[in-house]
Amino acid sequence: AAEKYFLVIDTLPRVGSKLSGMMLRMQFTPRAEKIRSNITVIKKAITNIINSKSLMKVLEVVLAVGNYLNAGTKIGAAYGFKLDALKKLSDTRATGKRITLLHYIVQIVEKLFPSLLPLSGSLSSLSDAAAVPLQPMPTDLSLLQKEAGALDKEMNMTDPESQPFRDAMGPFLASAKMDIEILNTEYKEMMDQMVIM
């Protein structure tokens, strides 16, 4: 029985590309859902950050402390700062002490704005977003698009032996193309939101 199967399979033109198309069909939904889920988690975190009044107030305190420390210099009257500057808060230490600038800012917030703490309540989705690897997302999306393109190319072959394959795979390919287009749009929106922040 297995020999007959392989004899029949061997007569089909471009069997490798057809098998690749069938693999894509089997794996498409979980792969696309993983990308969609990751995009949703990141977008939710971005929305939480943008809408968090507590975080904005803490950032105002950081800016005020930075302006106070840099008073009299060209950077002492800043209207804002880059988010990379937040990394330096834990590196800047008081002379001869183990307290960092971050510790000092937390003490100010605890004393003057205790209602802002803990920040974790308004930013609960950040821990989920921190677990999402950003780098593979565009690669995974590009790979899905490339594989769908290869299947599309196979579907455009006109040999009569491939008609049953085209009939079986046509609806999937149309749906996959639409899903990939939607995922690309959602990914671009997510990246645009990240740039705005």
Side-chain angles (χ1 to χ4, degrees):
E3 291 174 4
K4 285 183 181 180
Y5 173 77
F6 285 110
L7 286 173
V8 170
I9 287 288
D10 193 41
T11 63
L12 290 175
R14 298 169 314 281
V15 72
S17 65
K18 287 178 174 63
L19 289 174
S20 294
M22 292 168 69
M23 285 295 293
L24 175 64
R25 182 176 171 177
M26 289 184 339
Q27 298 172 348
F28 184 83
T29 299
R31 288 169 63 191
E33 284 307 313
K34 181 179 179 194
I35 295 168
R36 180 172 286 113
S37 172
N38 287 343
I39 289 171
T40 301
V41 167
I42 299 290
K43 286 172 88 173
K44 182 178 178 184
I46 291 169
T47 301
N48 279 358
I49 290 169
I50 290 171
N51 294 332
S52 174
K53 290 180 175 37
S54 298
L55 178 62
M56 291 307 138
K57 189 65 179 172
V58 169
L59 293 176
E60 286 175 19
V61 171
V62 171
L63 179 62
V65 168
N67 281 338
Y68 178 78
L69 292 174
N70 293 307
T73 69
K74 64 181 179 178
I75 59 171
Y79 291 103
F81 57 88
K82 293 184 179 180
L83 292 178
D84 284 356
L86 294 174
K87 294 177 191 174
K88 297 176 185 174
L89 296 178
S90 61
D91 295 336
T92 307
R93 296 187 177 278
T95 310
K97 296 188 179 177
R98 294 190 320 179
I99 189 168
T100 66
L101 187 53
L102 181 59
H103 290 113
Y104 182 69
I105 289 171
V106 169
Q107 289 173 357
I108 291 173
V109 172
E110 285 174 336
K111 184 177 180 181
L112 300 177
F113 308 103
S115 64
L116 299 178
L117 299 174
L119 275 176
S120 59
S122 65
L123 301 172
S124 58
S125 65
L126 292 187
S127 60
D128 293 338
V132 173
L134 282 178
Q135 272 187 321
M137 210 179 302
T139 306
D140 293 347
L141 202 47
S142 178
L143 189 57
L144 272 182
Q145 199 160 2
K146 180 181 173 186
E147 291 172 14
L151 178 57
D152 194 30
K153 185 176 177 182
E154 175 61 36
M155 298 287 285
N156 288 321
M157 297 295 184
T158 57
D159 54 285
E161 299 89 3
S162 296
Q163 189 58 46
F165 178 80
R166 287 191 293 273
D167 293 344
M169 297 298 279
F172 160 72
L173 182 60
S175 173
K177 283 178 168 180
M178 285 183 2
D179 278 352
I180 291 169
E181 189 174 321
I182 291 167
L183 285 172
N184 274 319
T185 300
E186 290 176 356
Y187 178 77
K188 184 182 180 319
E189 288 172 358
M190 178 193 78
M191 293 307 290
D192 289 346
Q193 284 181 330
M194 289 175 81
V195 170
I196 291 171
M197 285 185 7

